[in-house]
Amino acid sequence: MFKRIVSYPGFWKSVASIAVAFAILYTLFKWLLEGYSFAFINRIEIYILGVLGAGFVYAFLVTYGKFWKRLKDKNH
Protein backbone atom coordinates (compact mmCIF):
# COMPACT_ATOMS: atom_id res chain seq x y z
CA MET A 1 0.00 0.00 0.00
CA PHE A 2 2.90 2.37 0.76
CA LYS A 3 4.32 2.15 -2.78
CA ARG A 4 0.87 2.59 -4.25
CA ILE A 5 0.24 5.74 -2.23
CA VAL A 6 3.58 7.46 -2.86
CA SER A 7 3.34 6.73 -6.60
CA TYR A 8 -0.23 8.01 -6.85
CA PRO A 9 -0.50 11.03 -9.21
CA GLY A 10 -0.45 14.30 -7.31
CA PHE A 11 0.95 12.88 -4.07
CA TRP A 12 4.35 14.61 -4.17
CA LYS A 13 2.86 17.85 -5.50
CA SER A 14 0.53 17.91 -2.51
CA VAL A 15 3.43 17.18 -0.12
CA ALA A 16 5.49 20.03 -1.58
CA SER A 17 2.68 22.57 -1.48
CA ILE A 18 1.71 21.73 2.11
CA ALA A 19 5.38 21.83 3.21
CA VAL A 20 5.91 25.29 1.74
CA ALA A 21 2.64 26.56 3.20
CA PHE A 22 3.64 25.18 6.62
CA ALA A 23 7.04 26.88 6.44
CA ILE A 24 5.52 30.23 5.51
CA LEU A 25 2.78 30.10 8.14
CA TYR A 26 5.20 28.95 10.84
CA THR A 27 7.62 31.78 10.04
CA LEU A 28 4.83 34.38 10.03
CA PHE A 29 3.44 33.09 13.32
CA LYS A 30 6.88 33.05 14.94
CA TRP A 31 7.59 36.56 13.61
CA LEU A 32 4.34 37.84 15.14
CA LEU A 33 5.10 36.21 18.50
CA GLU A 34 8.58 37.76 18.55
CA GLY A 35 7.15 41.26 18.22
CA TYR A 36 7.71 41.71 14.48
CA SER A 37 11.42 40.94 14.79
CA PHE A 38 13.44 38.33 12.97
CA ALA A 39 15.81 37.95 15.92
CA PHE A 40 14.77 34.30 16.27
CA ILE A 41 16.70 33.49 13.10
CA ASN A 42 20.35 33.07 14.06
CA ARG A 43 21.56 31.36 10.91
CA ILE A 44 19.21 31.69 7.96
CA GLU A 45 20.37 28.56 6.12
CA ILE A 46 19.90 26.35 9.20
CA TYR A 47 16.51 27.91 9.85
CA ILE A 48 15.30 27.36 6.29
CA LEU A 49 16.50 23.75 6.23
CA GLY A 50 14.93 23.06 9.61
CA VAL A 51 11.57 24.60 8.84
CA LEU A 52 11.38 23.00 5.40
CA GLY A 53 12.42 19.65 6.88
CA ALA A 54 9.76 19.87 9.56
CA GLY A 55 7.25 21.01 6.96
CA PHE A 56 8.13 18.06 4.75
CA VAL A 57 7.61 15.55 7.57
CA TYR A 58 4.30 17.16 8.54
CA ALA A 59 3.13 17.37 4.92
CA PHE A 60 4.13 13.79 4.17
CA LEU A 61 2.16 12.43 7.12
CA VAL A 62 -0.93 14.52 6.37
CA THR A 63 -0.87 13.74 2.64
CA TYR A 64 -0.21 10.05 3.24
CA GLY A 65 -3.26 9.88 5.49
CA LYS A 66 -5.39 11.72 2.96
CA PHE A 67 -4.38 9.48 0.07
CA TRP A 68 -4.61 6.31 2.20
CA LYS A 69 -8.22 7.15 3.03
CA ARG A 70 -8.97 7.98 -0.60
CA LEU A 71 -7.56 4.67 -1.85
CA LYS A 72 -9.21 2.72 0.97
CA ASP A 73 -12.61 4.21 0.11
CA LYS A 74 -11.99 3.60 -3.59
CA ASN A 75 -11.28 -0.11 -2.97
CA HIS A 76 -14.45 -0.66 -0.97
Side-chain angles (χ1 to χ4, degrees):
M1 186 73 154
F2 179 80
K3 274 182 134 177
R4 189 169 161 207
I5 291 172
V6 297
S7 63
Y8 200 81
F11 177 81
W12 291 109
K13 183 179 177 183
S14 181
V15 169
S17 63
I18 292 173
V20 170
F22 172 83
I24 291 170
L25 289 174
Y26 175 80
T27 302
L28 285 174
F29 186 69
K30 186 79 170 152
W31 178 64
L32 288 170
L33 287 177
E34 294 292 326
Y36 304 103
S37 171
F38 284 107
F40 62 92
I41 302 176
N42 294 331
R43 295 189 51 196
I44 190 73
E45 60 275 355
I46 301 294
Y47 179 79
I48 290 173
L49 288 175
V51 170
L52 284 178
F56 175 78
V57 170
Y58 169 75
F60 184 85
L61 294 174
V62 168
T63 306
Y64 186 85
K66 180 175 74 171
F67 278 80
W68 180 79
K69 182 173 180 356
R70 181 182 297 169
L71 289 174
K72 185 179 144 200
D73 290 345
K74 192 176 183 181
N75 286 339
H76 294 301

